[in-house]
Structures are given as C-alpha cells and as structure tokens.
Amino acid sequence: MPPKKVGSKLLNWASHLDDNALEQARETASMPFVHPHVALMPDAHSGMGSAVGTVIPTLGAVIPAAVGVDIGCGMIGVRTSFAKSDLAGRNLADLRLSIEASIPLSMGNYNRGIGDWEFTASKLAELEGLAASNDVDLTHSPKWREQLGSLGSGNHFLELCLDTTDVVWLFLHSGSRGVGNKIAKKHIAVAQRLCAQWWIDLPNKDLAYLPEGTPEFGRYIKDLRWAQRFAYLNRAEMMDRFGAVFATWMGTDDHREIERINCHHNYTVKEKHGNKDVWLTRKGAVDAHDGVKAIIPGSMGTRSYVVVGKGSASGLCSAPHGAGRRFSRTEARKRFTVDDLRNRMVGIEFRDGEEFVDEIPDAYKDIDVVMEDAVDLVTVEHELRQILNVKGT
C-alpha cells in the first residue's frame, strides 16, 4: 500500500499500528539530524526507544538504542535440491532431536562442541582478526567464541520448510548473542551519559545518540561492525551445522545447497538517501534495494517469504522483517494456553512446552496483511510453509 504521511518527516506503511509505536516513531522522526524522513514498516510495533520496524536515516550521528541490543539479528535461508517426496517415510522428530543436540538453543556456555566441526575454525579466525585489527575490546565476553553457533531464546528459531513447488528449505533466525548484547548496552550507556553531560533535551532517553567525529562514535562503529559480522557468521555456522545434520538424516553426505540468503534486520550501515550519505539504521527491517534478496519470516505455524527488493526511495530501500508482535509476551501468556499453541501447530513437528506459549502465531500480526502492506517495497519470490520448527530456550 502507499505510505501515509504522519508529520513532516514520518512515512507509515503499517495498516495496523498501536498508538505507542506511532508515538515512538514521531519522537524518532523529531530528532534534528534525521534526513530525509523516518520510514515505519508494515510490521511496526513498540520497542525500546524506537518502534521495532523503523528505518532511521541520520546525518552525523547514530542512536545505539535504535540499533538495539541484538546487533545484526537477522535471517538465513538455504534452498536445497531435495523435494517433499524425498522426505517420505522419514521421522521429523528424529531430525528435530538431532538439531537440538548439534545447535545450542540457549546460552553459548553450552556450546562445548565448538571444535567438532571443520567449518568453525575459519569463522573464529576471521572474528579474532577483525577484533585485533580494529582494537575491539571483548574482555566483557570471555566466552564469545562458545557463543558462535548458538541460537538464543525469544523469537529465534530453526525451521525445515517447503516452498509452493515442494522444494525443501533450511531456515533460521538469530543474531549476535550475548556478546552483541553487551557491546550494545555499553554504547547505549555511553550515549546516554554524554547526552546528559551535554544537557541535550531528548524526547526519550533511549534516543540518546553519538555524534560523528567524537572518539565515542568511532569506537561504537568499530564495535558495531564486529558485532554485525559476528551475527552474520553465527547464522552461517548454525546453517552449516543444520545442513550437516539434515544430510545425515537424509542418509547422504551433502545437504545439496542450491542458494543461500543471509540478511540482517537490526543494524546500521552507510547508504545514500535523499541525495546525502546517511547512517541508515534498520531496526527490524531488511535491505530492499532493487534486486536485493531478503527473508521475511512469519510466526511459527504460519508462512515465511523470500523476497526481492524494489528499491523504493520513499521506503528508504527497506522492507518489513517479519510479522511483528500484536501482544507483548506477558499479554500473550494471559490470553493463550499451551493447548491453544498445540492446536495452532497441528501438522508441524515442534518443541512442545509451556515456555513457548508467548510465541503462538496469534500473538503476532497477520503476515498476509504485512505482505500486502509491503507490496510497493518487495516482490515475493518464494512462499514457504514450515513442517518443522525448533524454538530457542
């Protein structure tokens, strides 16, 4: 749908939007260094400081809390040459248990098999080299290496999916784990301290920013880029393990990968918008430049989409990152039960349990409405339906 103009520097693509998220977007758009405008994506909902699903272009400054605490969170999907018919007679529960045994679903402290995979060492070496060359201080996270290849909790997940032609896809959602969280919180605190020290009046303390040209800004950008790379490689590591486990389950030595898409949806990057070079923060949004592929997941039990960007200038070459929450986790637990979740997941192999009730599809926006709202931002290339879902703990 075409966007609605809300004030002089805010465009909204969301047909369903809570009042708090709209107010957060107004506050973000009021920051003096925003250029040319803030874009509110179809899946937008309330977040920390800025609404999740907000695209924020800034001149000479970055807002660390707008980037968020899960720096580089995003999706990775692999299209294989296997088809649904190749899965006949195989027990999906066995595959789920193998995945759970190979990929830590919570803290990286439990990732004791970090040396068991031949493809892990090169990723660790790259991250160690990047940290050394950019003087990235990781003393706050002595176990960051063990966090590589771990999923995390909340809405992070792994899935086995089929597209509309019954081709098999491997799919997962994760970010920069505990190390990224500590990097983010450190710089959010610095930004808040500096803005208070400089007597800067902010609409919200989580809109505290770091001005370009200061030592604190330079330090943040170096740490941010390291965390974004960690998140990218963390997804790649889990996908490599997922592929190996899937191949074994299929009785082959190759998961027959045809295509791989790995994209962030919580990050900052330098781009040109409104004829100026800006720091573009996508807080719950994917890169949708013309021809760029991305992944927009629905909630567990619904559908997900592989898309191609249309390069919408008014949309800041961005698109939604998922379904977006309708209810908070606390509210979802009040409204729904584990039996409701089981009824919604009929026909899908999944991790059953009370702890996953707040991830029930009914707690999220209708992904079909989100995709309809995003029709001017992306073209759908593949529609996926999950047959197996593994949520983080």
Side-chain angles (χ1 to χ4, degrees):
M1 74 171 197
K4 294 179 181 178
K5 191 170 184 179
V6 185
S8 61
K9 285 194 172 184
L10 177 60
L11 295 180
N12 172 35
W13 272 262
S15 58
H16 297 283
L17 185 67
D18 66 90
D19 292 340
N20 188 54
L22 180 58
E23 181 56 29
Q24 287 184 321
R26 288 181 189 274
E27 290 179 346
T28 302
S30 75
M31 298 302 284
F33 42 73
V34 164
H35 173 83
H37 59 264
V38 166
L40 204 53
M41 295 288 102
D43 57 334
H45 60 280
S46 299
M48 185 177 76
S50 303
V52 178
T54 308
V55 186
I56 311 164
T58 52
L59 292 168
V62 170
I63 305 169
V67 182
V69 294
D70 194 358
I71 297 169
C73 186
M75 299 293 307
I76 185 170
V78 162
R79 178 165 59 97
T80 76
S81 63
F82 287 104
K84 178 182 179 182
S85 58
D86 297 317
L87 309 182
R90 301 185 185 277
N91 189 335
L92 285 171
D94 291 341
L95 175 59
R96 178 175 61 80
L97 292 173
S98 294
I99 292 169
E100 292 172 16
S102 302
I103 298 173
L105 303 180
S106 56
M107 293 188 299
N109 296 6
Y110 303 107
N111 201 359
R112 298 189 180 93
I114 194 80
D116 294 348
W117 308 87
E118 62 180 15
F119 42 69
T120 308
S122 62
K123 299 184 187 78
L124 287 173
E126 179 183 340
L127 289 166
E128 287 166 348
L130 186 61
S133 63
N134 287 286
D135 194 27
V136 176
D137 179 13
L138 297 171
T139 56
H140 50 66
S141 300
K143 289 185 176 289
W144 71 263
R145 293 170 184 82
E146 286 80 5
Q147 292 171 19
L148 186 75
S150 63
L151 184 65
S153 59
N155 60 354
H156 292 169
F157 63 82
L158 299 108
E159 288 184 339
L160 189 71
C161 299
L162 302 173
D163 66 20
T164 53
T165 62
D166 281 343
V167 168
V168 175
W169 288 71
L170 313 183
F171 211 60
L172 68 87
H173 173 209
S174 191
S176 56
R177 310 298 294 109
V179 62
N181 182 283
K182 288 189 176 181
I183 287 171
K185 287 182 175 178
K186 177 175 74 173
H187 291 286
I188 290 169
V190 169
Q192 290 176 347
R193 175 178 58 80
L194 290 177
C195 284
Q197 177 183 315
W198 296 329
W199 299 96
I200 294 172
D201 187 23
L202 297 167
N204 183 311
K205 70 174 185 177
D206 287 320
L207 291 175
Y209 58 90
L210 297 171
E212 194 165 5
T214 62
E216 292 83 1
F217 179 93
R219 176 75 278 142
Y220 177 58
I221 293 300
K222 286 183 178 181
D223 288 359
L224 176 75
R225 285 173 172 161
W226 185 91
Q228 288 175 178
R229 188 60 182 166
F230 180 93
Y232 184 95
L233 292 176
N234 184 47
R235 289 192 294 274
E237 173 70 16
M238 283 185 285
M239 184 55 73
D240 291 342
R241 295 187 190 190
F242 190 0
V245 167
F246 175 73
T248 299
W249 181 72
M250 289 296 297
T252 70
D253 58 3
D254 181 8
H255 63 280
R256 289 170 25 187
E257 182 172 322
I258 302 299
E259 178 183 21
R260 178 176 292 212
I261 304 161
N262 192 344
C263 62
H264 294 322
H265 54 225
N266 276 6
Y267 69 114
T268 292
V269 67
K270 205 72 176 285
E271 291 185 3
K272 179 164 278 188
H273 294 280
N275 295 317
K276 292 186 179 181
D277 290 328
V278 301
W279 290 99
L280 191 75
T281 296
R282 292 186 172 99
K283 181 185 176 75
V286 296
D287 183 354
H289 277 85
D290 187 31
V292 172
K293 290 190 178 184
I295 298 170
I296 303 176
S299 55
M300 63 190 293
T302 61
R303 287 170 299 286
S304 297
Y305 296 87
V306 176
V307 300
V308 180
K310 291 185 174 180
S312 167
S314 58
L316 303 174
C317 296
S318 302
H321 81 309
R325 293 195 73 91
R326 291 177 60 222
F327 303 119
S328 69
R329 296 188 182 281
T330 300
E331 182 64 24
R333 289 187 173 280
K334 290 178 182 177
R335 288 174 176 261
F336 307 110
T337 68
V338 69
D339 286 335
D340 292 330
L341 177 61
R342 289 167 183 156
N343 289 335
R344 294 291 266 115
M345 297 297 285
V346 170
I348 300 170
E349 176 64 34
F350 77 108
R351 295 185 78 202
D352 193 2
E354 184 75 32
E355 64 268 38
F356 305 116
V357 168
D358 55 15
E359 283 293 301
I360 190 170
D362 307 78
Y364 285 83
K365 292 184 179 183
D366 186 333
I367 188 62
D368 292 332
V369 173
V370 170
M371 296 308 297
E372 185 177 337
D373 288 349
V375 69
D376 293 333
L377 306 175
V378 291
T379 299
V380 173
E381 187 170 77
H382 299 285
E383 179 182 311
L384 310 180
R385 66 189 187 280
Q386 62 270 80
I387 56 175
L388 178 151
N389 174 283
V390 177
K391 280 282 184 186
T393 300

